[in-house]
Every structure is written in structure tokens, then in C-alpha cells.
Amino acid sequence: KPDVNVFYNSGRSSVDVRYYGNCNGYVSVEIYDAIGNKVTQENLRAGTNQQTAVNIGSVARGIYFYKISNELFVLSAGKFFVH
């Protein structure tokens, strides 16, 4: 299972996603607000040691949740804060 790091980048209004290790196929990055509404979803080509920025636009301050998965399982899930 890859090691995944996710953090909010306020300067670019994006969520930076970094994953290390092998992951074949595609990876889905989903972002949800605190009440469960999907803010965005991106499907990214997987590989080894990847980094990408997922644009979330001008969202309100608060807690957001992410889920990163491939065709087989959830690679990582957690939360981040927009302030």
C-alpha cells in the first residue's frame, strides 16, 4: 500500500496530493465538505512517487475530507482544514 500525504495549499486554492510507492492504473481523489457534499473529484494516472495539485477553488473555511482510491481499495482517507 502506498504512503500518501495530503495538505491544503492556501496560496493556490488546491489540495496537494503526494504518494510514494507503486500504484497501477488510475487513482481517484475525492474531496467532500463537512456535511458530505462532494466538492471535486479527479482521476489521475497512477505510478511511482507521484505528486499533483487538485484545484478546489474558493471554498469556505472549515473541515474537508478526502478519499484516495484505486480500482481495488482505498489508499488513504482523512481530513484537512481550510483557514
Side-chain angles (χ1 to χ4, degrees):
K1 209 171 186 182
D3 182 30
V4 180
N5 296 314
V6 176
F7 59 94
Y8 176 65
N9 184 329
S10 62
R12 294 190 313 198
S13 296
S14 66
V15 177
D16 291 341
V17 178
R18 297 178 185 161
Y19 55 95
Y20 306 95
N22 279 332
C23 187
N24 297 319
Y26 287 87
V27 172
S28 173
V29 179
E30 300 174 32
I31 309 291
Y32 297 89
D33 65 16
I35 59 173
N37 296 317
K38 189 182 291 186
V39 174
T40 190
Q41 176 179 352
E42 286 195 29
N43 295 313
L44 309 170
R45 182 87 176 133
T48 303
N49 301 337
Q50 297 291 322
Q51 178 177 337
T52 191
V54 177
N55 185 354
I56 59 172
S58 57
V59 296
R61 293 179 179 172
I63 300 172
Y64 289 82
F65 298 90
Y66 66 88
K67 180 173 79 171
I68 302 169
S69 58
N70 65 10
E71 297 89 10
L72 301 175
F73 53 88
V74 174
L75 303 172
S76 180
K79 62 184 172 184
F80 61 92
F81 300 93
V82 173
H83 42 87

